[in-house]
Amino acid sequence: MPRSRSRSRSRTPQEDLQPLPAGAKRISESDYFLKSDEFRVWLKDEKDRYMDELSTDKARKYFKKFVKAWNRGELASRLYSGVDSDTVRSHQTGYKWSFVEREGGKADRDAMKRVREAVASDSHGPSPSSSSSTRVLGPALPPGTAGRMQGPSMPSASDLQSAREDAAELDGRDRQSSRKRARQEERDRVEDAVGPREVGREAMLANKRAKRDADRSFRNAKEDGDEVDADTLMGGDSFQAALAKRDAAKSRYADKAGSAREERDMANRERRDALREKDRATMDMFKAMAKERFG
């Protein structure tokens, strides 16, 4: 069966080995971003289209044609040797700025050219056509202000808000510390009046032992027929020992509570003094800044 003639002619090895102008290398569709400048120039010169007018898919299709023409050496020689930044900018978009078309637009065009040269110099380095002298863009400083040291500015609204928040936080901590100290003092007064309440298994066993001793003493006195004295009724030595034990526990608890309370009060005072010192330093800084700025 004869081979169909509709099939496109494949490239010969001689075409693949043929050198490109300016010693350029062959490219592929993956070089879309690498050859974006040359592609923009070719797209405007050959297809009369701008890059910003195309969708992504359409731009990819045009770039595929560009790759084929590039590898065949069919493009203009300036594309193979590299395009300058001015050419790329002139082919980048079809939008025309309104101030260029105004009356007296030559000065505007000159100013825009100087801006383009400055941007190109910052982005791509100085171009050969640019002057060796350095131009200073932007408005000049007012006379007499070039060497004057600028003082600190007034505190902003955020600084004032931060200072107010710090002061409110300090007041809140003071109130909280005062309420906590008042509750602790009230608790200590109650414990001083009635003594610490014994809890736990040891307290329960001590109470049972004291009760058994009191019952035994009462039974012995009743069996002997003796007069039951006040010591027997009150538990005798075991009751006195329980009282002494309670007083000792109460004293130890009071000493421990007092020491802990003093430590807490000292820590609270230190934190409060630190916050007040910080607030005072902040306000002094604001006053100094305002005095330096406004006199």
Side-chain angles (χ1 to χ4, degrees):
M1 180 177 180
R3 184 173 297 177
S4 174
R5 294 180 178 272
S6 62
R7 180 177 300 176
S8 62
R9 183 178 64 87
S10 60
R11 296 169 56 188
T12 62
Q14 289 76 11
E15 292 179 345
D16 291 335
L17 297 177
Q18 182 181 1
L20 298 178
K25 297 182 180 180
R26 286 178 168 77
I27 61 175
S28 63
E29 296 182 20
S30 61
D31 296 324
Y32 179 81
F33 296 100
L34 182 63
K35 295 298 181 182
S36 61
D37 294 341
E38 292 82 355
F39 176 54
R40 290 176 185 273
V41 176
W42 172 85
L43 187 65
K44 179 62 178 66
D45 294 344
E46 299 295 332
K47 304 298 181 182
D48 196 21
R49 303 292 296 274
Y50 288 101
M51 192 69 169
D52 56 1
E53 299 174 352
L54 304 178
S55 63
T56 303
D57 295 338
K58 195 69 174 178
R60 287 289 184 180
K61 291 180 181 179
Y62 275 116
F63 186 75
K64 186 175 182 181
K65 296 179 181 179
F66 171 77
V67 171
K68 292 181 180 179
W70 175 285
N71 292 335
R72 293 172 184 168
E74 299 173 353
L75 304 181
S77 59
R78 62 170 182 160
L79 297 179
Y80 292 99
S81 60
V83 293
D84 56 18
S85 58
D86 292 336
T87 303
V88 174
R89 283 193 296 271
S90 63
H91 291 72
Q92 188 169 4
T93 180
Y95 182 78
K96 300 296 183 182
W97 296 98
S98 59
F99 69 86
V100 180
E101 304 299 333
R102 295 198 305 255
E103 182 179 359
K106 184 177 184 302
D108 295 333
R109 287 194 297 271
D110 293 340
M112 186 172 65
K113 182 178 179 181
R114 289 195 297 269
V115 172
R116 283 202 304 266
E117 290 177 356
V119 173
S121 176
D122 294 339
S123 303
H124 307 287
S127 60
S129 61
S130 62
S131 172
S132 60
S133 61
T134 303
R135 293 189 181 92
V136 179
L137 300 178
L141 292 174
T145 61
R148 187 174 63 188
M149 181 178 295
Q150 301 296 327
S153 60
M154 282 294 293
S156 61
S158 59
D159 295 334
L160 296 177
Q161 180 64 24
S162 178
R164 286 193 292 268
E165 291 177 356
D166 292 340
E169 182 180 0
L170 178 62
D171 293 339
R173 290 184 178 179
D174 289 339
R175 289 193 299 270
Q176 183 179 4
S177 178
S178 299
R179 289 194 297 267
K180 187 175 181 180
R181 185 168 56 252
R183 289 194 299 268
Q184 183 64 35
E185 292 176 355
E186 181 65 22
R187 190 181 303 111
D188 293 339
R189 284 195 296 271
V190 173
E191 290 180 353
D192 291 341
V194 300
R197 183 179 180 182
E198 296 182 356
V199 294
R201 182 177 178 80
E202 294 182 356
M204 181 180 64
L205 295 176
N207 292 333
K208 288 183 177 180
R209 285 195 297 270
K211 184 178 179 181
R212 284 198 300 270
D213 293 340
D215 294 341
R216 186 180 305 108
S217 299
F218 183 78
R219 287 195 302 270
N220 292 337
K222 186 176 181 180
E223 290 175 357
D224 295 338
D226 297 335
E227 187 69 21
V228 179
D229 55 4
D231 293 337
T232 302
L233 292 175
M234 297 300 295
D237 294 339
S238 61
F239 182 73
Q240 297 297 329
L243 290 177
K245 183 177 180 181
R246 188 197 67 175
D247 293 339
K250 178 180 177 181
S251 178
R252 289 194 303 270
Y253 184 83
D255 294 340
K256 184 177 179 181
S259 177
R261 183 168 61 256
E262 291 178 358
E263 293 178 358
R264 289 195 300 270
D265 292 341
M266 183 178 297
N268 291 333
R269 283 195 298 270
E270 291 178 355
R271 287 195 296 268
R272 186 166 58 254
D273 293 341
L275 289 174
R276 288 178 177 172
E277 184 64 25
K278 179 181 177 182
D279 184 63
R280 187 181 302 107
T282 303
M283 296 307 297
D284 291 343
M285 180 186 69
F286 288 160
K287 291 179 181 178
M289 293 169 62
K291 184 176 180 181
E292 185 177 357
R293 181 66 179 272
F294 298 101

